[in-house]
Amino acid sequence: MMSSHHLFWFFVLSVSYLAALASPALLFQGFNWESWKKEGGWYNSLKNSVPDLANAGITHVWLPPPSQSAAQQGYMPGRLYDLGASSYGNQDELKHLIDAFHQRGIKCLADIVINHRTAEKKDGRGIWCIFEGGTPDDRLDWGPSFICRDDTEYSDGTGNPDTGEDFKPAPDIDHLNPKVQKELSDWMNWLKRDIGFDGWRFDFVKGYAPSITKIYMDQTSPNFAVGEKWDDLSYGQDGELNPNQDAHRRALADWVNAAGGAVTAFDFTTKGILQAAVEGELWRLKDSNGKPPGLIGLQPGSAVTFIDNHDTGSTQKLWPFPSDKVMQGYAYILTHPGVPSIFYDHFFDWGLKEEIGKLTAIRARNGINEKSSVKILAFDPDLYVAAIDDGVIMKIGAKYEVGGLVPPNYQIATSGQDYCVWEKK
């Protein structure tokens, strides 16, 4: 029987172990649009960043699509089992990288690109529609009947209709085909079992019905998963962002719920509103119910907030956050509910590691999580102030004076250009 002394330490270790298990998720995107060009390989390069990410409290890192691809970035995959032909490095280098993250308690998400697929060769019609799985056997070796029948450029007309939007550059895969569902699930489970991945980032989920995402979630049981459902926000005739984006965030919540509720979604609503708000329109950051106006104000446990990614920012800049206001953005998402995601470029290339690290430390220290409460105290054009849970108050905006909104028993925990965060003493 354990002595009381040993029981005490067993209890302390058990509690600390459970606390480590239960630490709220904090995501990091571990690549950008140009990472595949890295000399010596991206996987090998990123391994050097593991200590910095562990110190910043990152719990999950999102890695690029791992398979052979017709496009260097990985988003036009073909031989899905062939991880040796990736521009980011080979299979062993990927496994070593994942192992390095695991040694520091960080889980790894694979970028799952399954809406479409590039073919290995042409069929008798001269059309690129013969797929090769990347193994000596016939796993994922498909023909034109595995393509959605309405994708007429590639299909032979025998597949099921597409359940989502068409992706023009490559054949859309028929996810209603039971063999597709089984073989893709087997591949994803192989990524977990043999390669070491813990979860998924689903690419272009608009390309197939949310019920399909639910099938892959159910068949693979990821530790964490997030879907990319990127729809345009609502704009007025003057080209200005409409103040009310309820339909946009409702569509995100509806997708999550139709996909079974276990998967999360990138909060594109919050990104769009926040990047407009920091341009002297901070009144946008409160909805008609007094809550945050993005998905985090509707279904925060399902939201992954972010400032930029490899599409919106990086060298593509398809929808970039104002570059001089990025830290205001992080001050917002790292103190607010949802699961925040930090972008590689901002953390490392922009030299914001220390500033962002102070915010992640405040988040961890105060137990701010995906379902934390937000009380909005000010929402003027040049000042937004909010109290989070019972221990943190934050402000963003050019206005310096916050009046009596911060009680005397709070002290500044960190501050920077047009942002400040206070903690209860």
Side-chain angles (χ1 to χ4, degrees), residues 13 78-79 86 98 154 221 257 288 354 395:
L13 288 169
R79 302 189 302 273
S86 165
I98 292 173
Y154 303 101
S221 306
N257 300 336
S288 57
E354 274 72 29
K395 67 81 66 167

Side-chain angles (χ1 to χ4, degrees), residues 6 20 97 115 391:
H6 284 118
L97 173 63
N115 167 72

Side-chain angles (χ1 to χ4, degrees), residues 100-164:
F101 276 119
H102 285 169
Q103 285 177 24
R104 297 300 300 267
I106 298 173
K107 292 182 163 44
C108 296
L109 310 182
D111 202 323
I112 300 295
V113 186
I114 51 175
N115 167 72
H116 52 272
R117 195 174 167 201
T118 54
E120 188 77 8
K121 48 183 185 274
K122 297 177 182 178
D123 68 355
R125 302 171 297 165
I127 291 171
W128 291 93
C129 62
I130 306 298
F131 303 94
E132 161 60 46
T135 64
D137 57 33
D138 66 353
R139 283 175 291 169
L140 296 173
D141 293 357
W142 301 340
S145 65
F146 290 79
I147 298 169
C148 298
R149 81 161 68 131
D150 33 8
D151 197 349
T152 52
E153 195 179 335
Y154 303 101
S155 149
D156 64 1
T158 62
N160 292 292
D162 201 337
T163 59

Side-chain angles (χ1 to χ4, degrees), residues 368-381:
I368 298 174
N369 59 65
E370 61 274 12
K371 294 184 178 177
S372 284
S373 66
V374 179
K375 186 180 180 188
I376 297 168
L377 306 175
F379 56 110
D380 302 325

Side-chain angles (χ1 to χ4, degrees), residues 156-231:
D156 64 1
T158 62
N160 292 292
D162 201 337
T163 59
E165 292 184 17
D166 182 36
F167 180 79
K168 291 284 183 235
D172 282 39
I173 296 304
D174 173 14
H175 288 276
L176 295 177
N177 183 322
K179 188 173 180 184
V180 167
Q181 294 174 9
K182 181 184 186 308
E183 294 197 356
L184 285 177
S185 297
D186 288 348
W187 170 67
M188 291 166 72
N189 282 320
W190 172 80
L191 288 176
K192 278 178 71 178
R193 185 185 64 247
D194 288 34
I195 308 304
F197 280 108
D198 304 283
W200 321 122
R201 178 263 185 189
F202 289 102
D203 178 67
F204 192 66
V205 298
K206 296 194 299 179
Y208 45 92
S211 56
I212 303 295
T213 301
K214 183 180 190 303
I215 290 168
Y216 296 120
M217 288 291 293
D218 291 347
Q219 295 295 320
T220 65
S221 306
N223 168 272
F224 183 89
V226 56
E228 180 213 22
K229 179 176 158 56
W230 184 3
D231 296 311

